Amino acid sequence: TLYTLVGGEKYTNLINEILHLHATDDTGITAYQLSNNGTNWTVVPITSTTNFDDSSKAWSLASGSDGSRTVYVPYQKTTSTGISFWSSVYSDSINLDTTPPVVTATPDHLPNLAGWNNTDVTVTFGATDPVVNGVASGVVTISGPITVTTEGASQVITGHATDAVGNTGSFSITLNIDK
């Protein structure tokens, strides 16, 4: 008897998740319970079966800031004589990460004291995924270097970074170029 989050993910940026519930028992499973804290339960009756499988159970994880979330589930078994009892409580955890990466921009050289560059400028982007309550899914994509060759004032150059669960951060730098 077990349960897992669909796909076995270890990180999510969604409070509303999909659970994959699976249980087997020779005598029949007639219900299960779900809880975010192991104390307050939602009972879900099901048609008696010896091989229960639901890969699309919508469930709201505990709200709050980023961090680990655990979902608990016991299954109700019913014997052939009609006696019902609950299985042991099973659990699985997932890390909630709603914090976007922090992006930085670094020009290959600094402007003069008046704030102007007299040559092309290449801007390189960096990013980190902040750890909040022990959770960060990690940066997976970041904008590549951008070389600005066009003359002009107040040219805004923006880079982006995305973490493993799809949170996106960005940062812009403003350049003035007069060659």
Side-chain angles (χ1 to χ4, degrees):
T1 304
L2 60 95
Y3 110 86
T4 58
L5 293 154
V6 172
E9 297 95 350
K10 291 299 175 193
Y11 294 92
T12 184
N13 62 356
L14 304 172
I15 288 290
N16 297 317
E17 250 316 325
I18 302 295
L19 305 179
H20 179 189
L21 301 163
H22 177 76
T24 57
D25 185 75
D26 292 340
T27 61
I29 298 161
T30 55
Y32 62 91
Q33 299 181 62
L34 290 171
S35 174
N36 286 323
N37 59 17
T39 302
N40 301 316
W41 298 93
T42 298
V43 178
V44 182
I46 59 173
T47 302
S48 183
T49 181
T50 57
N51 189 14
F52 172 70
D53 192 41
D54 182 354
S55 60
S56 60
K57 176 60 182 166
W59 183 252
S60 295
L61 301 173
S63 61
S65 62
D66 290 0
S68 181
R69 299 292 189 276
T70 301
V71 179
Y72 303 88
V73 59
Y75 294 93
Q76 185 179 46
K77 303 175 183 185
T78 303
T79 67
S80 59
T81 59
I83 298 171
S84 294
F85 61 95
W86 289 96
S87 72
S88 299
V89 176
Y90 298 89
S91 65
D92 197 6
S93 296
I94 191 166
N95 294 303
L96 179 65
D97 177 2
T98 61
T99 305
V102 175
V103 181
T104 57
T106 305
D108 62 349
H109 58 276
L110 298 175
N112 63 26
L113 293 178
W116 286 84
N117 291 282
N118 61 4
T119 185
D120 296 346
V121 178
T122 299
V123 179
T124 303
F125 298 97
T128 59
D129 197 15
V131 177
V132 178
N133 294 325
V135 172
S137 61
V139 174
V140 294
T141 63
I142 187 167
S143 299
I146 298 174
T147 300
V148 182
T149 60
T150 306
E151 291 185 290
S154 301
Q155 298 182 66
V156 178
I157 310 304
T158 303
H160 305 275
T162 304
D163 67 16
V165 294
N167 299 313
T168 301
S170 63
F171 184 80
S172 298
I173 187 171
T174 303
L175 300 174
N176 301 313
I177 298 178
D178 184 13
K179 297 187 251 181

